[in-house]
Amino acid sequence: MNSDVRESPVLGEAQRRLLPDDDDIAFYDEHGWWVSPRILDDDVLDAAVRGAERFYAGDRDRRLPVETGYVDWHPGDGDEVRNSQHASYRNAELRALALQPVVGAIAARLARTDEIRIFEDTLVYKAPTPAGATGGVVGWHTDYSYSSNCVSQRMLSAWIPTHDVPADRAPLIVVDGSHRWPATEHLRCFNDQDLDGVRTRFATQGREIVEIPLVMGRGQVSFHHSHLVHGSRPNRAELPRMALAVYLQDGDNRYREFWNDGVRIHHFLDGVCRRDADGAPDYADPEFFPVLWRSPDPTVS
Protein backbone atom coordinates (compact mmCIF):
# COMPACT_ATOMS: atom_id res chain seq x y z
CA MET A 1 0.00 0.00 0.00
CA ASN A 2 1.09 3.57 -0.55
CA SER A 3 2.43 5.30 2.53
CA ASP A 4 2.21 8.85 1.15
CA VAL A 5 5.40 9.88 2.96
CA ARG A 6 6.37 13.52 2.43
CA GLU A 7 10.15 13.32 2.83
CA SER A 8 11.03 16.85 1.76
CA PRO A 9 8.01 18.88 0.65
CA VAL A 10 8.66 22.23 -0.93
CA LEU A 11 6.35 25.20 -0.42
CA GLY A 12 6.05 27.94 -2.96
CA GLU A 13 6.88 31.49 -1.97
CA ALA A 14 3.20 32.41 -1.69
CA GLN A 15 2.60 29.53 0.74
CA ARG A 16 5.68 30.35 2.77
CA ARG A 17 4.30 33.83 3.38
CA LEU A 18 1.24 32.21 4.99
CA LEU A 19 3.22 30.43 7.71
CA PRO A 20 2.87 31.72 11.28
CA ASP A 21 5.48 34.27 12.34
CA ASP A 22 6.99 34.69 15.80
CA ASP A 23 4.02 36.71 17.05
CA ASP A 24 1.61 34.04 15.83
CA ILE A 25 3.61 31.32 17.59
CA ALA A 26 3.62 33.37 20.80
CA PHE A 27 -0.17 33.74 20.46
CA TYR A 28 -0.54 29.97 20.08
CA ASP A 29 1.66 29.37 23.12
CA GLU A 30 -0.47 31.68 25.24
CA HIS A 31 -3.95 30.90 23.95
CA GLY A 32 -3.61 27.30 22.73
CA TRP A 33 -5.10 27.93 19.29
CA TRP A 34 -4.44 29.80 16.06
CA VAL A 35 -6.44 30.35 12.88
CA SER A 36 -4.59 30.51 9.59
CA PRO A 37 -5.31 32.84 6.71
CA ARG A 38 -6.74 31.15 3.62
CA ILE A 39 -4.22 28.39 2.84
CA LEU A 40 -6.27 25.84 0.88
CA ASP A 41 -7.58 26.19 -2.66
CA ASP A 42 -11.13 25.48 -3.76
CA ASP A 43 -9.98 22.57 -5.94
CA VAL A 44 -8.70 20.46 -3.05
CA LEU A 45 -11.75 21.31 -0.92
CA ASP A 46 -14.18 20.56 -3.74
CA ALA A 47 -12.45 17.22 -4.25
CA ALA A 48 -12.71 16.48 -0.52
CA VAL A 49 -16.44 17.17 -0.60
CA ARG A 50 -16.84 14.72 -3.49
CA GLY A 51 -14.73 12.21 -1.60
CA ALA A 52 -16.87 12.60 1.52
CA GLU A 53 -20.01 12.05 -0.54
CA ARG A 54 -18.53 8.81 -1.90
CA PHE A 55 -17.45 7.82 1.60
CA TYR A 56 -20.90 8.36 3.07
CA ALA A 57 -22.37 6.34 0.19
CA GLY A 58 -20.21 3.39 1.26
CA ASP A 59 -17.49 3.65 -1.41
CA ARG A 60 -14.02 2.84 -0.03
CA ASP A 61 -10.67 3.18 -1.79
CA ARG A 62 -9.11 0.89 0.81
CA ARG A 63 -10.11 -0.58 4.14
CA LEU A 64 -8.63 -0.69 7.59
CA PRO A 65 -7.44 -4.13 8.73
CA VAL A 66 -9.96 -4.03 11.62
CA GLU A 67 -13.69 -3.40 11.56
CA THR A 68 -14.23 -2.50 15.22
CA GLY A 69 -12.66 -0.39 17.95
CA TYR A 70 -13.28 2.98 16.33
CA VAL A 71 -16.21 5.28 15.59
CA ASP A 72 -17.53 4.83 12.07
CA TRP A 73 -20.84 6.37 11.03
CA HIS A 74 -23.19 4.30 8.89
CA PRO A 75 -26.54 5.24 7.31
CA GLY A 76 -29.23 4.91 9.92
CA ASP A 77 -27.03 6.12 12.77
CA GLY A 78 -28.54 9.62 12.63
CA ASP A 79 -27.26 12.83 11.11
CA GLU A 80 -27.06 15.22 14.06
CA VAL A 81 -23.36 14.36 14.38
CA ARG A 82 -21.65 11.89 12.05
CA ASN A 83 -18.17 10.81 13.17
CA SER A 84 -15.91 8.64 11.03
CA GLN A 85 -12.41 7.98 12.39
CA HIS A 86 -9.40 7.53 10.12
CA ALA A 87 -11.51 8.41 7.09
CA SER A 88 -8.50 9.73 5.20
CA TYR A 89 -6.95 6.25 5.19
CA ARG A 90 -10.01 4.96 3.36
CA ASN A 91 -10.72 7.76 0.90
CA ALA A 92 -8.27 9.22 -1.63
CA GLU A 93 -9.71 12.74 -1.76
CA LEU A 94 -9.84 13.07 2.03
CA ARG A 95 -6.29 11.74 2.20
CA ALA A 96 -5.17 14.43 -0.24
CA LEU A 97 -6.76 17.04 2.03
CA ALA A 98 -5.21 15.60 5.21
CA LEU A 99 -1.74 15.47 3.65
CA GLN A 100 -1.54 19.08 2.47
CA PRO A 101 2.11 20.08 3.14
CA VAL A 102 1.22 23.64 4.10
CA VAL A 103 -0.91 22.30 6.97
CA GLY A 104 2.05 20.24 8.18
CA ALA A 105 4.47 23.16 7.83
CA ILE A 106 2.22 25.38 9.94
CA ALA A 107 1.81 22.67 12.58
CA ALA A 108 5.58 22.20 12.69
CA ARG A 109 6.12 25.89 13.39
CA LEU A 110 3.48 25.99 16.11
CA ALA A 111 4.76 22.82 17.79
CA ARG A 112 8.41 23.76 17.25
CA THR A 113 9.32 20.46 15.64
CA ASP A 114 11.02 19.35 12.44
CA GLU A 115 8.54 16.57 11.69
CA ILE A 116 4.76 16.27 11.71
CA ARG A 117 2.95 12.97 11.27
CA ILE A 118 -0.74 12.19 11.22
CA PHE A 119 -1.89 10.34 14.32
CA GLU A 120 -5.52 9.99 13.32
CA ASP A 121 -8.34 11.97 11.75
CA THR A 122 -12.10 12.21 12.00
CA LEU A 123 -14.57 13.28 9.35
CA VAL A 124 -17.30 15.18 11.22
CA TYR A 125 -20.64 16.14 9.69
CA LYS A 126 -23.47 17.99 11.39
CA ALA A 127 -26.92 18.20 9.86
CA PRO A 128 -28.97 21.36 10.49
CA THR A 129 -30.68 21.32 13.88
CA PRO A 130 -33.76 23.60 14.05
CA ALA A 131 -33.89 26.30 16.70
CA GLY A 132 -35.25 24.89 19.93
CA ALA A 133 -34.35 21.31 19.06
CA THR A 134 -31.77 19.48 21.14
CA GLY A 135 -28.86 17.36 19.98
CA GLY A 136 -26.04 18.07 17.59
CA VAL A 137 -23.58 19.02 20.34
CA VAL A 138 -19.95 17.95 20.54
CA GLY A 139 -19.14 18.09 24.24
CA TRP A 140 -16.13 19.67 25.90
CA HIS A 141 -13.05 17.51 25.60
CA THR A 142 -9.32 17.55 24.97
CA ASP A 143 -7.82 15.57 22.13
CA TYR A 144 -5.04 14.25 24.34
CA SER A 145 -7.61 12.52 26.53
CA TYR A 146 -8.06 10.05 23.66
CA SER A 147 -4.32 9.46 23.19
CA SER A 148 -2.98 8.96 26.71
CA ASN A 149 -0.52 6.37 25.41
CA CYS A 150 1.42 9.06 23.54
CA VAL A 151 4.52 10.48 25.22
CA SER A 152 4.41 13.87 23.48
CA GLN A 153 2.91 16.96 25.08
CA ARG A 154 3.20 18.95 21.84
CA MET A 155 0.56 17.20 19.76
CA LEU A 156 -1.99 19.42 18.07
CA SER A 157 -4.98 19.27 15.77
CA ALA A 158 -5.81 20.90 12.46
CA TRP A 159 -9.53 21.51 11.97
CA ILE A 160 -10.30 21.81 8.25
CA PRO A 161 -13.84 22.83 7.28
CA THR A 162 -14.86 22.34 3.66
CA HIS A 163 -16.92 25.55 3.55
CA ASP A 164 -17.42 28.88 5.30
CA VAL A 165 -18.24 28.46 9.00
CA PRO A 166 -20.25 31.45 10.22
CA ALA A 167 -21.47 31.75 13.80
CA ASP A 168 -24.69 29.80 13.20
CA ARG A 169 -23.03 26.85 11.41
CA ALA A 170 -21.56 25.15 14.50
CA PRO A 171 -18.04 26.59 14.52
CA LEU A 172 -15.47 24.95 16.74
CA ILE A 173 -15.55 26.61 20.17
CA VAL A 174 -12.31 26.77 22.12
CA VAL A 175 -11.85 27.64 25.79
CA ASP A 176 -9.10 30.21 25.54
CA GLY A 177 -5.89 29.31 27.36
CA SER A 178 -7.29 26.06 28.78
CA HIS A 179 -4.31 24.07 27.49
CA ARG A 180 -2.46 25.50 30.50
CA TRP A 181 -5.05 24.24 32.99
CA PRO A 182 -4.00 21.27 35.16
CA ALA A 183 -5.70 17.89 34.86
CA THR A 184 -7.49 18.30 31.51
CA GLU A 185 -5.62 15.45 29.87
CA HIS A 186 -8.44 13.04 30.74
CA LEU A 187 -11.40 15.28 29.91
CA ARG A 188 -13.58 12.99 27.79
CA CYS A 189 -17.00 14.64 27.52
CA PHE A 190 -17.26 14.42 23.72
CA ASN A 191 -20.73 12.87 23.92
CA ASP A 192 -21.97 15.01 26.82
CA GLN A 193 -24.64 17.31 25.37
CA ASP A 194 -24.71 19.53 28.49
CA LEU A 195 -22.07 22.09 27.54
CA ASP A 196 -23.30 24.57 30.11
CA GLY A 197 -23.29 22.01 32.92
CA VAL A 198 -19.70 21.03 32.28
CA ARG A 199 -18.83 24.73 31.93
CA THR A 200 -20.28 25.33 35.40
CA ARG A 201 -18.05 22.61 36.83
CA PHE A 202 -15.05 24.41 35.32
CA ALA A 203 -16.19 27.68 36.91
CA THR A 204 -16.52 26.14 40.38
CA GLN A 205 -12.87 25.13 40.12
CA GLY A 206 -11.93 28.80 39.88
CA ARG A 207 -10.98 28.72 36.23
CA GLU A 208 -11.55 31.69 33.96
CA ILE A 209 -13.73 30.52 31.10
CA VAL A 210 -13.50 32.43 27.85
CA GLU A 211 -15.31 30.67 25.00
CA ILE A 212 -14.24 31.69 21.50
CA PRO A 213 -16.17 30.46 18.46
CA LEU A 214 -13.70 30.08 15.58
CA VAL A 215 -15.68 31.69 12.77
CA MET A 216 -13.81 30.92 9.58
CA GLY A 217 -13.91 31.33 5.83
CA ARG A 218 -13.45 28.52 3.35
CA GLY A 219 -9.79 27.66 2.92
CA GLN A 220 -8.82 28.68 6.45
CA VAL A 221 -7.64 26.07 8.94
CA SER A 222 -7.63 26.29 12.73
CA PHE A 223 -4.97 24.67 14.90
CA HIS A 224 -5.31 23.86 18.59
CA HIS A 225 -3.12 22.27 21.26
CA SER A 226 -3.95 18.71 22.29
CA HIS A 227 -4.69 19.88 25.87
CA LEU A 228 -7.04 22.69 24.81
CA VAL A 229 -10.66 22.27 25.90
CA HIS A 230 -13.02 22.58 22.93
CA GLY A 231 -16.40 21.49 21.58
CA SER A 232 -19.24 22.82 19.44
CA ARG A 233 -22.91 23.68 19.64
CA PRO A 234 -25.71 22.55 17.29
CA ASN A 235 -25.68 23.58 13.65
CA ARG A 236 -28.44 26.20 13.39
CA ALA A 237 -27.73 27.05 9.75
CA GLU A 238 -29.80 25.75 6.84
CA LEU A 239 -26.83 23.87 5.37
CA PRO A 240 -24.85 20.94 6.82
CA ARG A 241 -21.50 21.55 8.47
CA MET A 242 -18.57 19.30 7.56
CA ALA A 243 -14.91 19.32 8.58
CA LEU A 244 -11.93 16.99 8.66
CA ALA A 245 -10.25 17.08 12.06
CA VAL A 246 -6.65 15.89 11.73
CA TYR A 247 -4.81 15.01 14.93
CA LEU A 248 -1.08 15.53 14.45
CA GLN A 249 1.98 14.20 16.26
CA ASP A 250 5.44 15.71 16.38
CA GLY A 251 8.47 13.69 15.36
CA ASP A 252 9.42 12.85 18.94
CA ASN A 253 6.11 11.20 19.81
CA ARG A 254 6.29 7.54 20.77
CA TYR A 255 4.04 4.91 22.30
CA ARG A 256 3.98 4.39 26.07
CA GLU A 257 2.01 2.00 28.20
CA PHE A 258 -0.75 3.82 30.06
CA TRP A 259 -3.10 2.36 32.65
CA ASN A 260 -6.30 3.90 34.01
CA ASP A 261 -7.90 2.29 37.09
CA GLY A 262 -6.16 -0.96 36.30
CA VAL A 263 -7.20 -0.95 32.65
CA ARG A 264 -4.54 -0.69 29.96
CA ILE A 265 -5.41 2.05 27.47
CA HIS A 266 -5.45 0.82 23.88
CA HIS A 267 -5.78 2.79 20.65
CA PHE A 268 -7.39 0.82 17.84
CA LEU A 269 -4.39 1.36 15.56
CA ASP A 270 -2.03 -0.17 18.14
CA GLY A 271 -3.15 -3.57 16.95
CA VAL A 272 -2.59 -2.98 13.24
CA CYS A 273 0.50 -0.79 12.91
CA ARG A 274 4.00 -2.26 12.78
CA ARG A 275 6.10 -2.82 15.91
CA ASP A 276 9.24 -0.95 16.90
CA ALA A 277 12.49 -2.55 18.04
CA ASP A 278 11.08 -3.02 21.54
CA GLY A 279 7.91 -4.69 20.26
CA ALA A 280 5.68 -1.69 21.00
CA PRO A 281 3.28 -0.08 18.50
CA ASP A 282 5.32 2.12 16.17
CA TYR A 283 3.72 5.56 15.85
CA ALA A 284 6.12 6.30 13.00
CA ASP A 285 4.69 3.53 10.81
CA PRO A 286 4.19 5.35 7.47
CA GLU A 287 1.28 3.12 6.52
CA PHE A 288 -0.98 4.42 9.29
CA PHE A 289 0.90 7.52 10.53
CA PRO A 290 2.22 9.17 7.35
CA VAL A 291 4.64 12.06 7.49
CA LEU A 292 2.91 15.28 6.58
CA TRP A 293 5.94 17.54 6.90
CA ARG A 294 9.62 16.94 7.48
CA SER A 295 12.35 19.58 7.51
CA PRO A 296 15.92 19.69 8.75
CA ASP A 297 15.10 23.13 10.20
CA PRO A 298 12.66 23.16 13.15
CA THR A 299 11.71 26.75 12.30
CA VAL A 300 10.63 25.60 8.82
CA SER A 301 12.23 28.71 7.38
Side-chain angles (χ1 to χ4, degrees):
M1 295 183 181
N2 294 327
S3 61
D4 295 315
V5 173
R6 302 311 196 246
E7 289 291 345
S8 183
V10 176
L11 299 183
E13 182 59 33
Q15 286 184 311
R16 290 167 65 86
R17 288 196 296 268
L18 300 174
L19 300 181
D21 60 22
D22 290 345
D23 289 340
D24 296 324
I25 296 169
F27 180 94
Y28 173 81
D29 288 343
E30 179 179 356
H31 297 272
W33 59 273
W34 184 75
V35 177
S36 78
R38 180 180 171 87
I39 61 171
L40 298 177
D41 295 333
D42 287 336
D43 289 349
V44 69
L45 294 168
D46 290 343
V49 170
R50 293 192 296 271
E53 290 170 349
R54 288 199 303 112
F55 186 86
Y56 287 136
D59 190 5
R60 300 289 184 270
D61 296 314
R62 59 180 177 176
R63 296 185 179 274
L64 286 161
V66 294
E67 297 293 333
T68 61
Y70 55 96
V71 179
D72 194 18
W73 179 90
H74 289 88
D77 290 345
D79 291 334
E80 288 179 337
V81 181
R82 302 179 186 176
N83 288 319
S84 302
Q85 282 183 280
H86 234 57
S88 74
Y89 183 88
R90 298 178 281 164
N91 180 270
E93 294 92 344
L94 294 175
R95 195 165 185 83
L97 178 60
L99 288 171
Q100 289 294 302
V102 67
V103 174
I106 289 173
R109 272 191 180 269
L110 295 175
R112 293 184 170 88
T113 183
D114 61 356
E115 181 177 293
I116 289 290
R117 302 188 300 264
I118 289 179
F119 187 72
E120 67 174 325
D121 63 77
T122 305
L123 181 64
V124 186
Y125 171 104
K126 284 191 177 190
T129 300
T134 59
V137 168
V138 170
W140 299 122
H141 66 283
T142 63
D143 294 333
Y144 190 79
S145 67
Y146 298 94
S147 58
S148 301
N149 43 8
C150 290
V151 301
S152 174
Q153 301 299 307
R154 292 188 290 167
M155 295 172 73
L156 70 167
S157 296
W159 195 77
I160 312 174
T162 60
H163 48 70
D164 291 343
V165 187
D168 65 347
R169 205 171 177 180
L172 195 70
I173 301 174
V174 298
V175 179
D176 193 54
S178 57
H179 65 306
R180 293 182 279 111
W181 291 356
T184 63
E185 65 271 21
H186 303 304
L187 180 62
R188 300 187 181 194
C189 299
F190 189 97
N191 295 313
D192 190 334
Q193 299 284 297
D194 186 11
L195 288 176
D196 293 332
V198 176
R199 187 181 189 279
T200 299
R201 294 205 298 272
F202 292 156
T204 60
Q205 297 168 358
R207 296 172 175 176
E208 181 183 7
I209 302 166
V210 180
E211 295 183 21
I212 300 180
L214 302 185
V215 173
M216 297 163 57
R218 194 180 201 222
Q220 290 185 282
V221 176
S222 69
F223 296 81
H224 61 266
H225 193 282
S226 62
H227 286 255
L228 189 78
V229 178
H230 61 286
S232 62
R233 298 188 183 276
N235 176 18
R236 300 302 189 191
E238 296 180 355
L239 297 170
R241 187 268 260 172
M242 186 167 67
L244 186 66
V246 187
Y247 192 25
L248 303 168
Q249 54 177 322
D250 56 276
D252 293 331
N253 184 51
R254 298 291 183 271
Y255 170 86
R256 66 169 180 174
E257 280 193 10
F258 188 85
W259 298 76
N260 184 24
D261 293 332
V263 177
R264 185 176 178 178
I265 300 300
H266 176 80
H267 190 280
F268 80 94
L269 289 175
D270 291 350
V272 299
C273 69
R274 71 186 184 189
R275 300 287 155 170
D276 63 19
D278 297 322
D282 185 359
Y283 288 167
D285 181 350
E287 180 65 29
F288 299 102
F289 310 109
V291 171
L292 180 52
W293 176 265
R294 181 177 289 147
S295 170
D297 179 1
T299 65
V300 200
S301 62

